[in-house]
């Protein structure tokens, strides 16, 4: 299928590998990113994006300067940036409903760039590796060799997390101790099968969570009775490659789902969203919902 690039007809690549071969700088940029050391990112000015979440903002934002996410094994972290006005979207995709998620990601960034006089959209894709179940490959085909390392015949991702500086457009390897407010609630929503959602309103500079609902997690008591090995092997898409805190995170999320099997009225009084805004110290602070 042909398309126009700079007025010339070119054929779309059949695979990610073909794309890299046609554009060698892509592989060089990946190599440079892999070679970086991991930076520990603090909470000031940070908006952390969990699995099945997206956030978009611009350099004009007075509260957020860094978007970031980590713990990506078979998942992918996608950064979409408009070069004209610097509007940037970061999302953490797990392949659950990519067909529906792509239009959501595109519309979120387009809403910021409708009035931009010039510029183009840049996409950065990080994540995935040559996992045993071949789940990563369904997302990015053979391109995944760029983020794969092998140790004792087992495969692991090189990069688990990234951050993007909204002001400078720098993307770098990162890890995060602070993952923002309502971490367990947000993780529970994703584990219970919630769809991709946008969590940030750049106009008000507020983090918005919910209201959301889920059905009781199937056999939650059974899973809580299982040992760490069983949870890792059954509830991970890549058991050998998960970070050390994976089982603890899943177990605490399951406990949260058991405690709140129907969260609507308990976690979201009056069916109103939970709203947070950065305070003068750059940390999230809960604020009252409108009309509450």
């Amino acid at each position: 299928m042909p398309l126009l690039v700079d007025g010339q007809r070119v054929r779309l690549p059949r695979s990610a590998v073909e794309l890299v071969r046609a554009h060698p700088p892509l592989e060089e940029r990946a190599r440079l990113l892999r070679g970086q050391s991991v930076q520990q990112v603090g909470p000031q000015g940070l908006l952390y994006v969990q699995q099945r979440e997206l956030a978009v903002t611009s350099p004009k934002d007075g509260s957020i300067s860094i978007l970031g996410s980590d713990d990506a094994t078979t998942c992918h972290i996608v950064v979409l940036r408009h070069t004209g006005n610097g509007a940037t979207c970061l999302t953490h995709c797990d392949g659950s409903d990519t067909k529906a998620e792509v239009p959501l990601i595109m519309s979120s960034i387009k809403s910021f760039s409708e009035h931009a006089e010039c510029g183009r959209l840049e996409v950065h894709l990080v994540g995935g590796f040559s996992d045993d179940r071949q789940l990563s490959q369904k997302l990015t085909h053979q391109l995944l060799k760029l983020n794969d390392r092998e140790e004792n015949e087992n495969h692991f991702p090189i990069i688990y997390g990234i951050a993007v500086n909204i002001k400078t457009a720098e993307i770098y390897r990162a890890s995060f101790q602070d993952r923002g407010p309502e971490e367990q609630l947000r993780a529970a929503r994703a584990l219970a099968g919630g769809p991709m959602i946008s969590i940030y309103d750049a106009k008000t500079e507020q983090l918005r969570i919910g209201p959301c609902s889920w059905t009781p997690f199937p056999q939650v008591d059974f899973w809580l009775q299982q040992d760490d090995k069983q949870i890792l092997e059954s509830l991970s898409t890549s058991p050998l490659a998960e970070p050390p805190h994976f089982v603890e995170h899943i177990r605490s999320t399951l406990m949260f789902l058991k405690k709140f099997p129907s969260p609507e009225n308990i976690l979201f009084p009056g069916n109103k969203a939970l709203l947070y805004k950065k305070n003068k110290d750059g940390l999230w602070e809960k604020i009252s919902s409108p009309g509450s």
Side-chain angles (χ1 to χ4, degrees):
M1 176 182 177
L3 77 161
L4 290 176
V5 176
D6 294 332
Q8 298 182 358
R9 292 170 65 87
V10 298
R11 183 177 58 80
L12 283 171
R14 295 178 180 177
S15 69
V17 158
E18 188 176 323
L19 177 64
V20 170
R21 287 172 178 167
H23 302 278
L26 292 177
E27 187 164 7
E28 175 62 15
R29 290 169 189 165
R31 186 188 67 78
L32 291 174
L33 185 62
R34 292 199 315 267
Q36 292 181 3
S37 59
V38 178
Q39 298 186 41
Q40 183 65 238
V41 178
Q44 285 80 11
L46 168 67
L47 172 51
Y48 183 88
V49 177
Q50 289 204 28
Q51 189 171 330
R52 297 191 191 178
E53 293 181 346
L54 71 83
V56 58
T57 190
S58 74
K60 296 180 180 179
D61 196 314
S63 300
I64 301 300
S65 56
I66 300 291
L67 296 175
S69 189
D70 62 358
D71 285 359
T73 53
T74 59
C75 291
H76 289 40
I77 302 169
V78 181
V79 175
L80 193 62
R81 179 178 179 273
H82 192 278
T83 61
N85 60 10
T88 304
C89 174
L90 185 145
T91 182
H92 189 134
C93 303
D94 61 8
S96 58
D97 193 1
T98 306
K99 186 176 180 179
E101 292 169 359
V102 170
L104 179 62
I105 296 168
M106 291 299 297
S107 63
S108 70
I109 195 73
K110 284 182 178 179
S111 66
F112 274 77
S113 42
E114 290 177 347
H115 304 294
E117 296 182 0
C118 60
R120 66 182 186 278
L121 289 176
E122 291 182 340
V123 63
H124 305 266
L125 184 66
V126 175
F129 66 109
S130 298
D131 61 284
D132 293 338
R133 303 185 192 184
Q134 303 293 293
L135 295 174
S136 294
Q137 284 81 337
K138 293 179 182 179
L139 289 175
T140 53
H141 308 289
Q142 299 174 30
L143 177 64
L144 298 168
K145 68 177 184 178
L146 298 178
N147 193 44
D148 183 76
R149 67 179 177 87
E150 189 173 350
E151 183 178 319
N152 298 325
E153 299 184 352
N154 294 317
H155 291 265
F156 301 86
I158 297 171
I159 301 173
Y160 282 86
I162 61 167
V164 54
N165 186 310
I166 305 301
K167 315 296 183 182
T168 66
E170 178 191 7
I171 295 177
Y172 51 94
R173 295 179 62 178
S175 63
F176 310 86
Q177 291 296 322
D178 188 295
R179 301 185 174 190
E182 308 294 347
E183 179 182 353
Q184 284 192 319
L185 190 162
R186 295 158 67 189
R189 188 199 68 83
L191 188 61
M196 175 77 71
I197 58 169
S198 177
I199 60 169
Y200 186 67
D201 184 344
K203 293 181 180 178
T204 60
E205 299 184 0
Q206 293 177 358
L207 176 67
R208 180 188 181 96
I209 303 170
C212 61
S213 62
W214 53 71
T215 56
F217 193 84
Q219 299 181 308
V220 65
D221 288 322
F222 167 81
W223 288 113
L224 285 171
Q225 292 168 4
Q226 303 309 301
D227 59 24
D228 290 0
K229 183 174 183 292
Q230 185 64 39
I231 289 179
L232 179 63
E233 293 180 350
S234 301
L235 298 183
S236 168
T237 56
S238 51
L240 292 175
E242 294 293 355
H245 56 267
F246 174 82
V247 171
E248 180 185 356
H249 170 73
I250 291 294
R251 198 179 291 279
S252 66
T253 304
L254 289 170
M255 292 176 65
F256 188 92
L257 286 167
K258 179 179 180 179
K259 184 177 181 180
F260 302 104
S262 300
E264 295 93 325
N265 294 326
I266 300 175
L267 299 177
F268 305 100
N271 201 36
K272 291 184 172 62
L274 306 180
L275 301 178
Y276 287 82
K277 191 175 179 67
K278 290 285 189 178
N279 60 22
K280 59 182 178 60
D281 297 318
L283 305 176
W284 291 114
E285 191 172 89
K286 193 171 185 178
I287 60 177
S288 299
S289 300
S292 62

